Amino acid sequence: MNNKKDYDLLIVGAGIYGATAAYKAKQEGKRCLVIDIRPHLGGNIYCENVEGINVHKYGAHIFHTSNKRVWEFANGIVEFNRYTNSPIANYQGKQYNLPFNMNTFYQMWGVLTPEEARQKIDEQRQEALTRMRNDGITEPRNLEEQALLLIGKDIYETLIKGYTEKQWGRKCTDLPAFIIKRLPVRFVHDNNYFSDRYQGIPIGGYNKLIDGLLDGIETHVNTNFFEDRQHWENIADHILYTGKIDEFFDYRFGQLEWRSVRFEQETLDMPNYQGNAVMNFTDANVPYTRIIEHKHFEMFGDEVYQCPKTVISWEYSSEWHPGIEPFYTVNDERNNQLYTKYKELADQEPHVTFGGRLAEYKYYDMAPIIEKIMQF
């Protein structure tokens, strides 16, 4: 009897993890099928073209890496542009450069030299340390205490507290200290958020990257693995599963927690709304966390004005519930222990590999995903 299956590899999920794995499998001569529950390929890096602008439908994605091999691999699929991530923070109508650097310190205190800035920060850090010692505390008990020790009161209350509490839906005093173990503090005038050697956006948007990775590979969208699970589990010799790990095991131990994001999008009859791709709103009284103006990812300088309209997205953080997209893991003690239980089950599945943000319950940037798959 011939038990040969239709495919060598079934990949569940057509995001950056699944698409890169499919590309590698094809290079190795494997028969590969990619399915995705969404009506499009690309997962969270999918772009929609609106008025000639590539809109990041699931939030801003900036590719960055110091690994030359990863950068050359990605650029071998599609050429990347020169975009540099330099977000702005807006607090009560005043703007500050991010990450924290000499521009930020001048905007905050009017200091002109690195020594003045360092002295100001050290004074406020010492105040926080003294308060903790007076309370008999030797180690930060929560995010607030950790942040105050790292950066001091002014920057914490202006640029961290409100934004973080909106993002996580919890008070900073209720969040674990490890979330903010370190903060980038630069005593130079450098607004580049990342320190990686390479960064950019695919010219023409991320769909170009996904389409290049999946070129020549069979794909099915609007396809739910769980609606015909027995069929999909028997169609290939091996499965790469990039969905939620708890869902794969029918939530046997309960549901892992996530934070989600709701997007409100509008096309404006103007060429330039905020002058920057990413604007964080750090005031707790502003309900959204940030506004993305998508054209700035691919249009620079006066080029912005050659496109008469612009598209902006407001981002609202929320608790996850079934029926909406899970975005950020909640890696507290309860969820980490729960994931460990599911991981033990996953390790007992010899014909299934669990990979990516949802399956590994881990936040991933794009470049480390590609790097990981290249090492398989």
Side-chain angles (χ1 to χ4, degrees):
M1 180 181 291
N2 183 4
N3 292 321
K4 186 175 178 65
K5 297 189 177 181
D6 295 339
Y7 301 95
D8 298 309
L9 179 64
L10 170 69
I11 297 178
V12 182
I16 187 70
Y17 198 109
T20 307
Y23 179 90
K24 188 171 189 291
K26 184 189 175 191
Q27 297 293 99
E28 294 171 352
K30 294 179 180 176
R31 297 164 299 143
C32 185
L33 170 65
V34 180
I35 65 172
D36 199 288
I37 193 171
R38 290 177 178 174
H40 58 74
L41 303 172
N44 280 2
I45 67 172
Y46 170 74
C47 294
E48 179 183 43
N49 193 276
V50 180
E51 299 289 345
I53 299 162
N54 290 310
V55 174
H56 296 206
K57 290 295 290 184
Y58 302 94
H61 286 82
I62 297 96
F63 195 93
H64 59 100
T65 183
S66 291
N67 186 320
K68 186 177 182 180
R69 185 164 168 251
V70 169
W71 180 250
E72 289 178 343
F73 170 83
N75 276 266
I77 304 296
V78 57
E79 186 179 358
F80 280 62
N81 67 19
R82 65 170 182 84
Y83 177 79
T84 300
N85 190 28
S86 302
I88 303 291
N90 184 310
Y91 178 77
Q92 297 184 353
K94 186 173 181 180
Q95 295 183 357
Y96 301 85
N97 289 107
L98 297 175
F100 311 134
N101 68 77
M102 284 303 299
N103 294 314
T104 321
F105 307 144
Y106 172 76
Q107 293 152 350
M108 183 72 63
W109 301 305
V111 295
L112 296 174
T113 68
E115 184 57 35
E116 290 177 298
R118 191 181 296 276
Q119 182 178 344
K120 192 76 175 177
I121 291 171
D122 286 346
E123 287 174 1
Q124 295 195 3
R125 293 178 63 205
Q126 186 60 46
E127 290 172 5
L129 182 61
T130 300
R131 280 196 302 272
M132 282 180 55
R133 286 175 175 170
N134 290 342
D135 292 338
I137 306 302
T138 57
E139 293 292 332
R141 296 166 293 183
N142 52 56
L143 186 149
E144 178 166 290
E145 291 177 350
Q146 179 71 75
L148 289 170
L149 281 183
L150 289 171
I151 200 66
K153 178 181 178 181
D154 290 349
I155 290 178
Y156 167 69
E157 293 188 347
T158 304
L159 302 179
I160 298 175
K161 186 175 189 293
Y163 186 89
T164 302
E165 291 183 348
K166 287 189 291 186
Q167 186 177 35
W168 290 100
R170 295 156 176 83
K171 296 292 185 184
C172 286
T173 50
D174 295 330
L175 290 168
F178 72 79
I179 291 178
I180 199 166
K181 276 189 175 178
R182 63 187 185 89
L183 289 168
V185 179
R186 301 174 183 165
F187 294 96
V188 293
H189 292 271
D190 181 5
N191 299 324
N192 182 355
Y193 194 82
F194 301 120
S195 57
D196 286 309
R197 183 172 182 180
Y198 311 104
Q199 70 178 294
I201 305 286
I203 295 174
Y206 280 102
N207 295 358
K208 298 279 189 181
L209 176 62
I210 293 296
D211 291 345
L213 290 169
L214 293 175
D215 183 41
I217 295 170
E218 185 179 351
T219 61
H220 295 171
V221 296
N222 292 309
T223 303
N224 187 342
F225 172 81
F226 296 104
E227 286 183 355
D228 197 359
R229 180 168 183 164
Q230 186 174 2
H231 166 74
W232 297 118
E233 287 183 331
N234 287 284
I235 204 171
D237 293 327
H238 196 86
I239 295 173
L240 171 59
Y241 176 79
T242 71
K244 292 167 64 242
I245 190 171
D246 52 356
E247 185 175 14
F248 186 91
F249 294 107
D250 297 319
Y251 304 105
R252 186 177 308 178
F253 305 120
Q255 291 188 351
L256 290 162
E257 291 180 293
W258 298 82
R259 291 291 291 171
S260 189
V261 182
R262 177 172 61 86
F263 304 94
E264 290 186 3
Q265 181 179 313
E266 185 175 353
T267 301
L268 302 177
D269 193 18
M270 62 174 67
N272 192 4
Y273 176 73
Q274 65 186 20
N276 203 55
V278 182
M279 182 85 70
N280 292 353
F281 288 80
T282 61
D283 188 339
N285 293 323
V286 176
Y288 42 86
T289 54
R290 59 184 187 174
I291 294 177
I292 306 300
E293 187 172 8
H294 299 269
K295 72 190 311 181
H296 295 291
F297 290 125
E298 297 186 65
M299 302 178 192
F300 309 111
D302 290 340
E303 185 184 0
V304 169
Y305 292 91
Q306 296 172 19
C307 178
K309 295 190 178 183
T310 194
V311 180
I312 62 172
S313 299
W314 292 268
E315 297 187 7
Y316 299 81
S317 290
S318 66
E319 289 293 320
W320 176 84
H321 59 79
I324 64 174
E325 293 293 339
F327 277 84
Y328 301 107
T329 56
V330 182
N331 291 112
D332 57 17
E333 185 175 353
R334 174 203 170 269
N335 284 288
N336 287 340
Q337 289 179 354
L338 187 57
Y339 167 71
T340 298
K341 291 183 179 181
Y342 284 118
K343 177 66 165 58
E344 290 171 355
L345 291 181
D347 290 341
Q348 298 170 28
E349 297 280 341
H351 301 296
V352 183
T353 298
F354 295 80
R357 175 179 57 94
L358 301 177
E360 298 179 60
Y361 200 63
K362 174 183 178 181
Y363 179 79
Y364 268 115
D365 281 325
M366 290 174 284
I369 287 176
I370 292 177
E371 183 173 1
K372 182 174 183 177
I373 293 169
M374 290 173 74
Q375 293 171 350
F376 281 175

